[in-house]
């Protein structure tokens, strides 16, 4: 039982990271029906911005905010330069472009920063909290990850449902042409969606840096793919679904690893994707393929 509780806690931490990245996938898909496979590499860029800020003596919160701002700008630039002109092109062209942008960011990172693993600064010393006579351990870094993820999720829900930008995003998601006729600037709304999704991915990158203390230019590949799995599991295009899907995937992986099958954790994640696509293609929270943000 103690092992189960410990792995559940570990899974919540890992799942929080997946959830933040998955939110960006599901927001972009909900607006323009695009799977942005470069999203995992925006997460990597966010981690490096946080790394630079902390090595300059910045605290955790300023580094987090700077990383989110820089990545938000990067997301807007990617949308305007790579995706906007292809908006009415065949889906395969946009998909290939997304993969190309992903390779560009990865290899650009290698050229600019080197391929070696960088050690993330120790932003705050690790503190462990022991429960059940030391059988269960929770660290302050795990608590930070879970708290920051929850706060960002709540903030996202507020933006989507209570602000003018959020209402515009939901309108564009439901019917782009009708939104244009109602005077909504669709281009700016889509750019705002990319900015918000990229900022959330950057937050995940910084949180991973402080938790694992290591970053590299290829760090966004596997988390990006697994976050896509999480988005599909929850129902891609559904914000609460992405959050639940990310948490669920993290818990499942942690349980698989905790019970001695760590070699199969990746296989289990992608097997889950196959099962969901066979049993319920719209995901746990999706009602149809055009589910809205």
């Amino acid at each position: 039982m103690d092992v189960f509780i410990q792995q559940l806690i570990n899974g919540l931490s890992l799942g929080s990271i997946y959830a933040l990245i998955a939110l960006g996938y599901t927001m972009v898909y909900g607006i323009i029906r695009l799977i942005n496979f470069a999203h995992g590499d925006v997460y990597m860029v966010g981690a490096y911005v946080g790394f630079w800020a902390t090595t300059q003596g910045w605290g955790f919160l300023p580094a987090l905010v700077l990383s989110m701002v820089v990545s938000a700008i990067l997301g807007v630039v990617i949308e305007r330069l790579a995706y906007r002109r292809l908006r009415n092109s065949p889906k395969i062209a946009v998909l290939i472009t997304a993969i190309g942008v992903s390779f560009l960011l990865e290899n650009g990172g290698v050229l600019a920063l080197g391929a070696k693993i960088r050690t993330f600064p120790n932003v705050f010393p690790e503190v462990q909290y022991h429960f059940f006579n030391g059988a269960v351990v929770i660290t302050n870094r795990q608590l930070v990850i879970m708290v920051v993820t929850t706060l960002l999720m709540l903030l996202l829900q507020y933006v989507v449902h209570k602000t003018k930008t959020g209402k515009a995003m939901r309108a564009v998601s439901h019917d782009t042409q009708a939104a244009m006729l109602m005077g909504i600037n669709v281009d700016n709304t889509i750019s705002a969606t990319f900015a918000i999704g990229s900022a959330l991915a950057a937050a995940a990158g910084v949180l991973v840096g402080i938790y694992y203390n290591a970053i590299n230019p290829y760090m966004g590949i596997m988390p990006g793919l697994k976050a896509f799995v999480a988005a599909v599991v929850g129902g891609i295009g559904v914000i609460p679904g992405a959050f639940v899907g990310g948490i669920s995937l993290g818990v499942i992986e942690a349980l698989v690893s905790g019970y001695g099958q760590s070699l199969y954790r990746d296989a289990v994640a992608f097997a889950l994707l196959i099962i969901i696509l066979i049993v319920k293609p719209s995901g746990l929270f999706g009602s149809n393929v055009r589910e809205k943000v």
Side-chain angles (χ1 to χ4, degrees):
M1 186 63 181
D2 292 338
V3 173
F4 175 80
I5 296 175
Q6 182 65 68
Q7 295 308 319
L8 181 62
I9 293 170
N10 295 341
L12 289 174
S13 301
L14 178 61
S16 296
I17 302 299
Y18 291 155
L20 284 176
I21 307 173
L23 287 169
Y25 274 116
T26 209
M27 288 179 65
V28 170
Y29 183 84
I31 295 291
I32 59 174
R33 305 296 181 265
L34 165 67
I35 303 299
N36 180 20
F37 281 114
H39 192 62
D41 299 293
V42 175
Y43 149 88
M44 175 272 293
V45 171
Y48 270 93
V49 173
F51 169 80
W52 176 85
T54 51
T55 55
Q56 300 301 310
W58 293 39
F60 167 66
L61 285 179
L64 180 67
V65 172
L66 177 66
S67 176
M68 293 176 70
V69 171
V70 171
S71 294
I73 295 172
L74 174 61
V76 173
V77 170
I78 291 173
E79 187 275 326
R80 293 195 174 184
L81 295 182
Y83 301 142
R84 181 168 295 186
R85 295 183 180 181
L86 299 175
R87 201 172 292 165
N88 297 317
S89 300
K91 296 297 183 182
I92 188 65
V94 185
L95 178 62
I96 292 172
T97 301
I99 296 173
V101 173
S102 175
F103 287 153
L104 175 64
L105 292 175
E106 290 167 12
N107 292 285
V110 171
L111 289 174
L113 305 167
K116 66 179 182 179
I117 296 175
R118 302 292 184 96
T119 301
F120 209 89
N122 190 9
V123 179
F124 41 78
E126 182 176 289
V127 178
Q128 296 184 342
Y129 305 97
H130 298 267
F131 301 91
F132 303 106
N133 296 320
V136 176
V137 179
I138 303 176
T139 69
N140 58 335
R141 294 176 181 176
Q142 289 177 317
L143 292 175
V144 167
I145 289 173
M146 289 184 279
V147 169
V148 170
T149 300
T150 302
L151 291 176
L152 288 176
M153 176 62 185
L154 293 174
L155 179 60
L156 177 62
Q157 287 291 86
Y158 174 81
V159 169
V160 170
H161 294 284
K162 300 296 183 180
T163 67
K164 186 176 180 180
T165 298
K167 292 176 182 178
M169 289 166 57
R170 287 187 287 134
V172 173
S173 174
H174 280 283
D175 193 319
T176 302
Q177 296 300 321
M180 292 177 63
L181 292 173
M182 294 300 293
I184 295 174
N185 190 320
V186 173
D187 287 340
N188 288 349
T189 301
I190 294 174
S191 293
T193 303
F194 271 84
I196 295 171
S198 298
L200 293 174
V206 175
L207 292 173
V208 164
I210 66 169
Y211 188 59
Y212 293 106
N213 294 117
I215 60 174
N216 67 83
Y218 295 111
M219 64 180 284
I221 298 175
M222 190 56 70
L225 290 175
K226 289 184 178 178
F228 170 67
V229 172
V232 173
V233 168
I236 193 161
V238 184
I239 288 177
F243 183 79
V244 173
I247 297 296
S248 300
L249 183 59
V251 170
I252 291 171
E253 280 196 18
L255 291 175
V256 170
S257 299
Y259 285 97
Q261 304 295 329
S262 59
L263 291 176
Y264 297 106
R265 55 182 294 179
D266 293 343
V268 168
F270 294 113
L272 178 63
L273 173 64
I274 296 172
I275 293 171
I276 287 293
L277 290 176
I278 293 174
V279 176
K280 197 174 189 299
S282 60
L284 298 178
F285 287 74
S287 58
N288 55 63
V289 295
R290 289 191 59 82
E291 185 66 49
K292 308 301 189 291
V293 172

